[in-house]
């Protein structure tokens, strides 16, 4: 488990451009969080990781260690699905998740976006302009809540503060 210490940087990598070492680190982190830590045996790796249009966001520490990740998927209705948001356990509560979401929203720009939040994280995603968009459900034994963000419907006071995408970092 990594310890927090220093700046992190978040970069976006198109599925077609992700190198094998980075993809391996992304998949290892997702497995450590979603399968091992959350005791949820399921096949995390799916065909969507390498779909054309998929963008992986990778948060790295100063030493190059991958400490967080998420992916952006093009949905058939034109929205963007934010998924597989996770942070290394040793880096939680140090802004990694917020840095990933800031970068995700910068990448999404004005397009609507959707996600299925683990229910205990609904308030976290609300900080970024997402709203509950349907009935909760249980997936792999974990309660989830569907959420949606439509930038055209956000009022100025409800709009989240998004960090610039170039050089996004957090402590």
């Amino acid at each position: 488990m990594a310890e927090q210490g220093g700046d992190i940087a978040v970069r976006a990598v198109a599925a077609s451009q992700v190198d094998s070492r980075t993809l391996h680190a992304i998949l290892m982190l997702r497995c450590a969080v979603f399968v091992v830590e959350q005791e949820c045996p399921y096949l995390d790796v799916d065909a969507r990781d390498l779909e054309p249009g998929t963008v992986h966001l990778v948060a790295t520490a100063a030493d190059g260690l991958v400490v967080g990740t998420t992916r952006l998927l093009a949905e058939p209705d034109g929205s963007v699905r934010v998924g597989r948001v996770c942070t290394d356990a040793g880096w939680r509560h140090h802004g990694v998740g917020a840095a990933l979401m800031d970068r995700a929203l910068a990448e999404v720009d004005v397009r609507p976006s959707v996600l299925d939040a683990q229910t205990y994280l609904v308030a976290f995603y609300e900080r970024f302009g997402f709203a509950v968009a349907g009935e909760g459900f249980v997936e792999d034994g974990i309660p989830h809540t569907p959420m949606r963000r439509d930038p055209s419907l956000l009022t100025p006071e409800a709009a989240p503060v998004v960090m610039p995408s170039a050089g996004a970092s957090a402590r």
Side-chain angles (χ1 to χ4, degrees):
M1 183 182 317
E3 297 270 334
Q4 190 278 341
D7 288 337
I8 59 118
V10 178
R11 63 188 169 102
V13 184
S16 62
Q17 300 298 312
V18 68
D19 64 271
S20 60
R21 186 175 304 276
T22 300
L23 183 59
H24 181 261
I26 289 168
L27 298 176
M28 288 291 292
L29 178 58
R30 287 182 2 199
C31 184
V33 172
F34 298 130
V35 178
V36 177
E37 180 183 330
Q38 295 182 353
E39 298 178 359
C40 190
Y42 78 107
L43 189 56
D44 171 67
V45 179
D46 61 21
R48 300 211 71 188
D49 282 315
L50 297 177
E51 280 181 358
T54 295
V55 174
H56 294 277
L57 302 181
V58 185
T60 54
D63 64 0
L65 179 69
V66 173
V67 297
T69 188
T70 190
R71 70 180 183 186
L72 305 176
L73 305 169
E75 293 291 271
D77 67 359
S79 67
V80 177
R81 177 162 297 278
V82 179
R84 303 293 207 271
V85 181
C86 67
T87 302
D88 180 275
W91 282 79
R92 291 188 192 139
H93 309 292
H94 296 288
V96 175
L100 285 165
M101 290 305 298
D102 285 341
R103 182 61 187 261
L105 295 180
E107 294 290 325
V108 168
D109 196 28
V110 298
R111 294 172 291 173
S113 51
V114 296
L115 56 81
D116 292 328
Q118 290 188 6
T119 301
Y120 80 96
L121 291 169
V122 164
F124 171 77
Y125 293 111
E126 287 175 336
R127 292 178 18 206
F128 299 94
F130 285 88
V132 173
E135 294 294 319
F137 61 95
V138 176
E139 183 175 30
D140 297 316
I142 298 173
H144 284 74
T145 302
M147 300 186 80
R148 182 174 179 85
R149 180 180 185 275
D150 188 340
S152 68
L153 300 178
L154 291 175
T155 61
E157 58 274 0
V161 176
V162 178
M163 302 298 290
S165 63
S169 65
R171 285 191 194 261

